[in-house]
Structures are given as structure tokens and as C-alpha cells.
Amino acid sequence: MLSYIASNSTANLINAVCKEDSITILNQEVEEIDFLKYIKQTKVNFNLIKYLIIDLSQLKNTDDEVINSIKYFKEMYVNTRIIIIAKGYDDQNVILTNLYENSIYNIINALDEIQVKEEIRKCLSQNGLQEKNARRFKKIEIEKIDKKFKYHDFILKLKGKFKSREKPNKNTETQNQINSSVYFFAVLIDAIKSLVRLLCYIAVFILTSIGLTFLFNEELRNMIFQIFNH
């Protein structure tokens, strides 16, 4: 026996397959439902059901609620095969990857109606779909990849910081050299100025001495006057 929760279009596909393969439909729901409430409140005896088909588009639960309610049903009714229809869902959709991790392999995410119908038929076969048929829903370890990229980015940033530190150091050294050259040049100019000033003082002193000697030495003064008179 089979029970399903599906949209009208999906319900038509399920009904067609069940009719062709002589599978009895015990209960059908074509309205949006809260799956967890449905499990607890429905009068359907799930112990009699061999297959439960769930069209995710008909569940008005959050992703976590969908995952947890399906896991709950799987634990409660271990003999019922759960078949998930997720038309157009990505292989790495959080619901599908989580269901795969919980050993639910009868998952259909094709979009083409003919393909969906054939996948339903396979899921209702004696063995259904196995783990090897559903490996595309295995969660890719994106976190590890992200960590590698984050580590790579960290190394690049670290190198960038060292480079940025090196450049200012080189600039600082150059600036220090320039500052030192300017300083020594300024000291040299001051020394030259001091030397010139000293020479001026000496010259003034000498001239002053000569002038005083001329003024106070009468013989020298007379000698100079005689020279100019001649």
C-alpha cells in the first residue's frame, strides 16, 4: 500500500505509476500541510503503508522542521520506504543532503515530468534507489575548502603586512640618511660662519691695534706725515 502528499501534477504521475504497477493507494493529500502535525493527527495507519511519497513543495514547514519530521517518521515507521520528490531542487540543498546523511536515498529532484515519473517507478521497485544512486546528495565538505581559502587569504594578508612594514623601513632609512646629510651640511655652514667671524674679529683687532699705535706713537706718526709730505 502507498500514501502520498503531493501537488496535483505530481499526484497525477504517482497515480499513473501505481495504476500501471498495480500498487494500492491508501491515502492521498494534495493540499499544503504541516507534516509533523499530519503525522501526529492523521487517522492513517502508517504501519500498513509500505511507501510514503512526500512532495516537498506541499510542506509548509521550515527546512529544519521538514528534516526533523521526516527523520521522526523514519524512526517511528522503520518498515515504510520514504520517497522524496523535490522537483528542481539543487543536489546540495540542505534538506536533501541531510536526508541522504540519514540513509534516505529514494530522492527525486528531476524537473522533467517524464523523468520524474520514471524515477518514481524506480523508487517503487523491489529494492528502490540505493546509496550509489543518491551520492550526488552527499554533502560536499565546503567548510574544509573554505578553511583552506581562509588560510591562504590569511597568509597573503600576513605577507602584505610584512611588505607594508618593509617599505616604510626603507623609506625611513632613506629619510634618515637625508636628514643626516642635511644636519652635517648645516654644521659645516655654521663652522664656516664661525671661522669667517673669527677672522673678521682678528682683522678688526689688528687694524684697531695699528690705528691705536698710530695715534699714540708720536715718532711713528711724524714719520708717516713726512712720507706723505714728500
Side-chain angles (χ1 to χ4, degrees):
M1 289 190 181
L2 177 146
S3 179
Y4 67 75
I5 302 165
S7 63
N8 287 318
S9 60
T10 303
N12 291 334
L13 297 176
I14 297 169
N15 291 332
V17 173
C18 289
K19 184 177 180 180
E20 292 167 9
D21 294 354
S22 301
I23 299 174
T24 303
I25 298 174
L26 180 64
N27 186 65
Q28 51 190 330
E29 298 288 341
V30 290
E31 296 179 356
E32 289 189 357
I33 62 171
D34 182 318
F35 186 58
L36 190 57
K37 288 183 180 179
Y38 171 74
I39 297 170
K40 294 179 178 180
Q41 297 175 6
T42 186
K43 296 179 181 180
V44 178
N45 186 354
F46 290 111
N47 290 309
L48 300 176
I49 293 176
K50 185 176 181 181
Y51 309 104
L52 174 64
I53 300 178
I54 304 171
D55 184 348
L56 296 184
S57 68
Q58 294 302 103
L59 304 187
K60 54 184 181 182
N61 305 87
T62 64
D63 289 352
D64 287 338
E65 288 172 345
V66 170
I67 293 166
N68 293 329
S69 58
I70 293 175
K71 284 168 60 179
Y72 171 77
F73 183 90
K74 183 175 182 290
E75 292 171 0
M76 290 291 293
Y77 305 99
V78 294
N79 295 320
T80 301
R81 181 185 299 172
I82 300 173
I83 300 169
I84 303 297
I85 296 181
K87 288 183 181 179
Y89 278 51
D90 185 80
D91 293 346
Q92 289 298 300
N93 176 273
V94 64
I95 296 176
L96 305 188
T97 54
N98 273 273
L99 295 180
Y100 173 87
E101 289 177 357
N102 284 276
S103 303
I104 296 175
Y105 304 131
N106 288 279
I107 302 173
I108 302 168
N109 67 332
L111 194 57
D112 180 72
E113 295 286 294
I114 296 175
Q115 190 176 351
V116 172
K117 183 178 178 180
E118 289 306 309
E119 291 292 314
I120 292 173
R121 194 185 303 280
K122 290 178 184 178
C123 291
L124 295 175
S125 63
Q126 183 175 355
N127 296 321
L129 298 180
Q130 301 298 308
E131 190 271 341
K132 63 180 180 180
N133 306 118
R135 282 178 187 164
R136 66 185 183 279
F137 302 115
K138 183 177 182 180
K139 188 176 182 180
I140 298 173
E141 295 182 1
I142 296 175
E143 292 181 0
K144 289 186 178 180
I145 295 173
D146 286 344
K147 284 180 181 178
K148 287 182 181 179
F149 279 116
K150 286 178 182 178
Y151 176 76
H152 181 67
D153 290 342
F154 172 74
I155 295 299
L156 289 177
K157 287 179 181 178
L158 196 60
K159 288 181 179 179
K161 285 183 179 180
F162 279 119
K163 285 183 179 179
S164 64
R165 287 180 181 177
E166 288 175 1
K167 289 181 180 178
N169 287 340
K170 290 180 180 178
N171 293 334
T172 302
E173 290 178 3
T174 303
Q175 188 64 39
N176 288 339
Q177 291 176 356
I178 293 171
N179 291 340
S180 298
S181 300
V182 171
Y183 173 75
F184 285 121
F185 181 73
V187 170
L188 179 62
I189 294 297
D190 287 340
I192 292 172
K193 287 182 180 178
S194 298
L195 179 61
V196 171
R197 192 179 296 111
L198 178 62
L199 291 175
C200 289
Y201 288 154
I202 293 172
V204 170
F205 177 75
I206 293 172
L207 291 174
T208 302
S209 298
I210 293 173
L212 291 172
T213 301
F214 176 78
L215 290 173
F216 293 104
N217 192 319
E218 186 177 350
E219 292 182 359
L220 179 59
R221 189 170 60 252
N222 291 332
M223 186 182 297
I224 291 173
F225 285 153
Q226 289 176 4
I227 292 172
F228 281 111
N229 290 329
H230 288 290

